[in-house]
Amino acid sequence: MLVKHWMNEDVVTVNTDDSMQQTIKLIKERAVKMLPVLEKGKLVGIITDRDLKRASASDATTLDVHELLYLLSKIKIKDIMTKKPITVSPLDTVEETAQILLDKDISGAPVLDGSGKLVGTITQREIFKVLISVTGVDKAGVQFALLLEDRPGSIKEVADVIREHNGRMVSILSSYEGAPDGKRYVFIRVRGIDSAKVKALRDALQQKATVRYVVNHLGDKAETEVLSEK
């Protein structure tokens, strides 16, 4: 999954000489937490809601409203922005980008093409959209969390069971995080079966794997059945 397919291309920017007051208004109007800062069309920094709060916090308790508004109108973005921001490429993967955001404790990053041109931004919001899309949670269905042997064919075995019960697999995800040696966790979301047949499919899967839990999204409210803590 490449950044260019998920990034926000409708980029809102500010200039280095824009005032703090203008920027606060823009961030509220556009409901964003980060704005790229340009100077002569080139990215030179970013400004976040965190930067704005930090810049105004020390004076907010000692100034009246008119004095504070005057102060905010005089402070320039170039004086409070984060310089040399972390950026990503459109050809980076979303997974790599998520790792960068987590490691650097930032909410998003500008996206620059090979020539250094700003072509978009990617934030936690876009990454959440990716998570929703790849897991298929917006398509309802039933999620089976399994503990499988880490060997060729183990996923096919449970997939065959699901097909035998006329289930259609929307997503298959796996993780080794926290799994016992020689095992891996697999999460399969299934559609095409009704609630009355979920138990039969669960029982059939238990013949091939350890079923950790089942989350049924077929009704008005999700129902979770925990079968194993492994």
Side-chain angles (χ1 to χ4, degrees):
M1 296 175 290
L2 298 181
V3 167
K4 69 177 184 178
H5 296 139
W6 294 93
M7 68 183 185
N8 173 29
E9 298 180 78
D10 182 21
V11 185
V12 184
T13 65
V14 292
N15 293 307
T16 51
D17 286 329
D18 287 345
S19 73
M20 186 173 166
Q21 185 180 28
Q22 293 171 319
T23 304
I24 290 174
K25 181 180 179 182
L26 186 59
I27 278 182
K28 288 182 177 179
E29 288 177 347
R30 298 303 294 262
V32 294
K33 293 186 176 182
M34 178 197 73
L35 295 175
V37 183
L38 303 182
E39 186 173 67
K40 298 180 180 179
K42 181 180 179 181
L43 180 74
V44 293
I46 59 168
I47 188 79
T48 67
D49 58 345
R50 186 186 303 177
D51 295 326
L52 295 169
K53 290 174 182 176
R54 183 171 57 245
S56 60
S58 59
D59 292 318
T61 57
T62 59
L63 301 178
D64 64 28
V65 173
H66 297 293
E67 290 173 328
L68 181 58
L69 290 176
Y70 177 78
L71 174 66
L72 298 182
S73 69
K74 293 301 180 181
I75 296 176
K76 301 299 182 183
I77 291 304
K78 63 184 176 184
D79 298 324
I80 60 173
M81 70 182 185
T82 298
K83 300 177 181 178
K84 297 180 180 180
I86 295 167
T87 64
V88 297
S89 162
L91 299 181
D92 288 341
T93 67
V94 174
E95 306 95 292
E96 291 168 328
T97 301
Q99 185 70 61
I100 290 171
L101 300 190
L102 181 63
D103 290 345
K104 301 298 183 181
D105 191 25
I106 55 177
S107 61
V111 183
L112 303 183
D113 66 12
S115 66
K117 178 183 177 183
L118 178 69
V119 293
T121 58
I122 186 161
T123 68
Q124 293 171 345
R125 179 180 176 84
E126 283 72 49
I127 291 173
F128 290 155
K129 288 181 180 179
V130 174
L131 179 63
I132 290 170
S133 177
V134 299
T135 59
V137 67
D138 57 333
K139 303 295 190 298
V142 181
Q143 185 189 66
F144 294 91
L146 312 170
L147 178 64
L148 299 183
E149 292 184 10
D150 184 24
R151 58 174 174 79
S154 61
I155 292 181
K156 181 181 182 302
E157 291 173 5
V158 296
D160 288 343
V161 171
I162 292 170
R163 294 189 189 96
E164 289 168 4
H165 285 73
N166 298 316
R168 181 164 63 87
M169 288 170 286
V170 178
S171 66
I172 302 176
L173 304 174
S174 69
S175 173
Y176 292 97
E177 186 71 27
D181 290 342
K183 305 278 188 177
R184 62 173 161 169
Y185 295 123
V186 176
F187 308 88
I188 303 178
R189 185 170 296 278
V190 179
R191 296 186 68 191
I193 59 173
D194 57 42
S195 288
K197 297 180 180 180
V198 171
K199 183 178 183 299
L201 176 53
R202 180 206 68 191
D203 292 344
L205 287 172
Q206 285 182 312
Q207 303 302 311
K208 299 290 184 180
T210 299
V211 180
R212 300 178 67 212
Y213 59 82
V214 180
V215 183
N216 188 334
H217 290 95
L218 296 176
D220 296 332
K221 183 179 178 180
E223 297 180 359
T224 301
E225 179 187 15
V226 177
L227 292 97
S228 172
E229 295 298 336
K230 293 182 180 180

